[in-house]
């Protein structure tokens, strides 16, 4: 069975997605990803804090993905 392309809506508009191949994912040990997870959480906390301060100042905040 051949999968047909799908139309997907995102905050950036509509996109045509055509999945050509699928691979089974693998679970990595926590110790292997600990630093990447910690960095992602620090960045997320920083962006949340920046948005809150800018909101208090009445200015638009940075947008995700930029």
């Amino acid at each position: 069975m051949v999968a047909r392309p799908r139309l997907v809506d995102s905050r950036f508009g509509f996109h045509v997605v055509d999945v050509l191949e699928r691979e089974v994912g693998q679970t990595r040990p926590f110790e292997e990803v600990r630093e990447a997870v910690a960095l992602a959480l620090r960045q997320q906390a920083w962006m949340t804090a920046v948005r809150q301060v800018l909101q208090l100042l009445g200015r638009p905040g940075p947008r995700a993905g930029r």
Side-chain angles (χ1 to χ4, degrees), residues 3-66:
R4 295 176 33 189
R6 293 181 35 198
L7 186 61
V8 177
D9 185 16
S10 78
R11 70 175 189 254
F12 300 109
F14 289 97
H15 312 274
V16 177
V17 176
D18 190 9
V19 177
L20 302 176
E21 184 178 333
R22 289 183 76 166
E23 294 182 13
V24 178
Q26 297 176 347
T27 303
R28 294 166 51 189
F30 178 70
E31 291 304 321
E32 186 178 317
V33 297
R34 175 191 295 267
E35 289 301 317
V37 170
L39 175 61
L41 291 173
R42 283 193 300 272
Q43 289 173 335
Q44 185 179 14
W46 172 256
M47 289 304 295
T48 298
V50 168
R51 282 190 197 98
Q52 289 173 348
V53 168
L54 291 175
Q55 187 176 23
L56 288 172
L57 296 173
R59 299 180 184 162
R63 297 177 188 229
R66 282 188 162 184

